[in-house]
Amino acid sequence: MAFLLYGPATRVAPTGFFPTTTSASSSHPPKPINPFFRTTRSLNFSPLKVAAPPTQPLTSDQSEKREGEVVEVEDERTSSSSKFSWRDHWYPVSLIEDLDPNRPTPFQLLGRDIVLWKDKSTAEWVAFDDKCPHRLAPLSEGRIDENGYLQCSYHGWSFDKCGSCKQIPHASSEGPEARAIGSPRACATSFPTMVSQGLLFVWPDENGRERASATKPPMLPDDFDNPEFSTVTIQRDLFYGYDTLMENVSDPSHIDFAHHKVTGRRDRAKPLTFKLESSGPWGFAGANDGNPRISAEFVAPCYYMNKIEIDTKLPIFGEQKWKIWICSFNVPMAPGKTRSIVCSARNFFQFTMPGPAWWQVVPRWHEHWTSNKVYDGDMIVLQGQEKIFLSKTKEGSADVNEMYTKITFTPTQADRFVLAFRNWLRRHGNSQPEWFGISNQGPLPSTVLSKRQMLDRFEQHTLNCSSCKGAYAAFQTMEKLFIGATVVFCATTGIPSEMWIRAILAGLALLSSSLAYALHELQKNFVFVDYVHAEID
C-alpha cells in the first residue's frame, strides 16, 4: 500500500513515486452488506536474526546454498529479556474528524467489541466495552441522552463517562432496587482513552490505567505541524489480517506494479537495496541509499513510518529537496479484519491537496477517491495471498512466520523489511495479536468474500468518513434535483409557441439530464469501482 500524497507527474519526478492518469473499469451494482506503541524503547538487546538476501548477486548454485541465510542485526537499545505485550499499548481507533460526536460508534479492537462516544459535559471521548451490564445488549445501538449520558436502547440504562450507572428506569425509588444503581455490577466497563494529533487512542486493558498514564501514544513526525507541509488523512476497514497488511506496508517494491498509473509506473521499477539498521521487541528501522532515499521504521505493534526524500531540479525553481511522509497505523480489529489509518504529508505541490489555505481547493473526499484506488490495487492480490498462506499453515500445521522463507522465495534486498516484520512477529509478537475471547473462530473473511465485497468502498470507508459520507449524500441530492429539472423542462418544452423558447427548454433538459447522469457515475467512487490490473496499460 502506498499513499504518497498524489501530485501531478512530471518528467523530473524520480522513479515510481508520482501518479499519472488512472484507468480502471467500474460498475455500480447495489450495495451489499458484508457478512461478516508505544514510543518509549528500552535499552540493550541481543542480536536479532533476520532472514535476508545476500548483498552481492549469486549464481544459481550459490543461491540454492544460501537460501534462508540469516543476518544478525545488533541493537543495544533493547534487552532480549524484554517481553512484548499486545495489550500494553495505545491503539489509534479512529480519526477524530470522522467520529460523530452525537451518536455512539462501534469498533473492534483485538477481537473485543467496544463503543466510542463523546461526553458532552467534558467534551472527552470515551470507550466502553460494548455491552450493557443489565442484559448484555450492545451499547453502540444506544444514544446520547438529554443529560449527555450513554443510554442503552434496550431498557434505558444510562452511564456517565466513568461507566457509573446513572439511571435504571424500571427500578423502584425505594428498597433494594433503588440501591442497585450504585452496585459495581451496574457499571459499564471503561477503557483509558487519549486524543493526540487528531487521533483517538484506546488502551485495550481496563485494568491498565496506571501503565496507560505512564505511556505516550505513537507520535506523527514534527513535519506534520510544519506549515511548509500539506497533510491528508484517510481510514478504511480491510478484510484481511493484521499480518497481511503489515507485510504489505513494509514493502515499497510493490508500488510500481500494484499501483501502476496511480502512485507508480511499471517501467520505473528498479533494485531497492534496503539495509536493516536496528531491530528488537520495539520493532525495526532501515533505509536504502540513492535517490529517492526511503527510510522506514516499524514501531510495534501497529505503527509504520515511511519517509521518502527526493533530490530534484526544476526549471526556474532550481534544486529542490522534496519530502514525503507516509505514516500508517494498522490496527488489528479481529482475525482477518484490520483498520488502516494513513496520515501523509509532503512539502511540494500543496495546491493539489486539501488544506486550510484559500488556494487549496481540492476537497478531502476527492483525495480519498485516489487513496481508495491504492487500497483497491492491493485488495484482491492480498486476498489471494492470505488464502494461500492459510492453506499452507493448515497443510503443515505450523506457523506461517516460521515457514515464511520456505514457502516464499525472497532473493532481493527489496524484501528485507518484509522479512524483518515476519521475524519480529515470530520472535516477539507470538506470531499473532493477543486476541480477546477468540477460540473457535470461523473462516477468515478473505476466504469467503467475493471480489465485489472485498472492494466495497461504501461499507469499508464511506460510512465511516465524514467527508465522503457528506459528499455522497450531496451528490445523491443533486442528482435528484437534476432529474426533477429534466422532467420539468421536458414537460414544458411544447408549451411556448415561440420556437426559440422551446429550443432553450430542450437544451436545458438535455443539460440537466447530462448532469444527473454525470453525478450518478461519480457516485461510484464512493461505493464500488472494479479494479482489473490487466486493463491498466
Side-chain angles (χ1 to χ4, degrees), residues 166-182:
K166 306 302 290 185
Q167 185 180 22
I168 301 179
H170 301 102
S172 299
S173 58
E174 298 176 356
E177 289 189 6
R179 295 191 294 271
I181 196 172

Side-chain angles (χ1 to χ4, degrees), residues 5 26 48 71 117 159 201 232 253 263 274 281 310 316 320 331 380 391 400 452 467 496 516:
L5 294 169
S26 64
L48 170 66
V71 175
W117 63 284
F159 307 89
F201 290 85
V232 68
S253 66
T263 58
F274 291 120
I310 306 167
I316 302 175
Q320 300 286 308
V331 187
I380 305 305
S391 66
V400 68
R452 174 64 178 79
S467 302

Side-chain angles (χ1 to χ4, degrees), residues 51 67-68 243 247 385-410 418-419 422-423 425-427 431:
E67 182 180 349
D243 58 332
E247 179 180 317
Q385 180 193 51
E386 188 165 90
K387 285 181 180 180
I388 295 174
F389 278 152
L390 182 61
S391 66
K392 292 290 185 181
T393 302
K394 290 181 177 180
E395 289 173 9
S397 299
D399 172 25
V400 68
N401 300 290
E402 294 178 354
M403 303 187 302
Y404 195 83
T405 56
K406 295 181 180 179
I407 61 178
T408 66
F409 182 50
T410 51
V418 172
L419 298 173
R422 286 292 178 179
N423 274 280
L425 190 59
R426 174 179 59 85
R427 288 172 59 88
S431 291

Side-chain angles (χ1 to χ4, degrees), residues 218-267:
M219 301 293 291
L220 297 171
D222 292 340
D223 283 338
F224 277 78
D225 298 319
N226 187 336
E228 295 180 0
F229 284 74
S230 292
T231 64
V232 68
T233 58
I234 186 173
Q235 62 187 26
R236 181 167 170 174
D237 296 338
L238 307 171
F239 284 100
Y240 43 78
Y242 157 85
D243 58 332
T244 302
L245 179 57
M246 277 303 313
E247 179 180 317
N248 176 253
V249 301
S250 304
D251 174 29
S253 66
H254 78 282
I255 294 171
D256 289 319
F257 292 92
H259 309 306
H260 175 58
K261 289 190 175 181
V262 181
T263 58
R265 293 187 66 92
R266 298 176 188 132
D267 57 356

Side-chain angles (χ1 to χ4, degrees), residues 447-488:
T447 64
V448 296
L449 295 184
S450 66
K451 182 179 182 181
R452 174 64 178 79
Q453 291 169 320
M454 290 292 293
L455 294 175
D456 187 353
R457 296 183 181 183
F458 187 79
E459 294 286 337
Q460 298 171 16
H461 171 71
T462 301
L463 283 177
N464 301 315
C465 175
S466 59
S467 302
C468 291
K469 187 176 182 179
Y472 181 58
F475 275 44
Q476 288 181 309
T477 300
M478 288 189 293
E479 180 189 359
K480 293 175 182 177
L481 289 174
F482 282 120
I483 291 174
T486 301
V487 172
V488 171

Side-chain angles (χ1 to χ4, degrees), residues 38 134 284:
R38 183 163 62 180
H134 175 214
F284 61 83

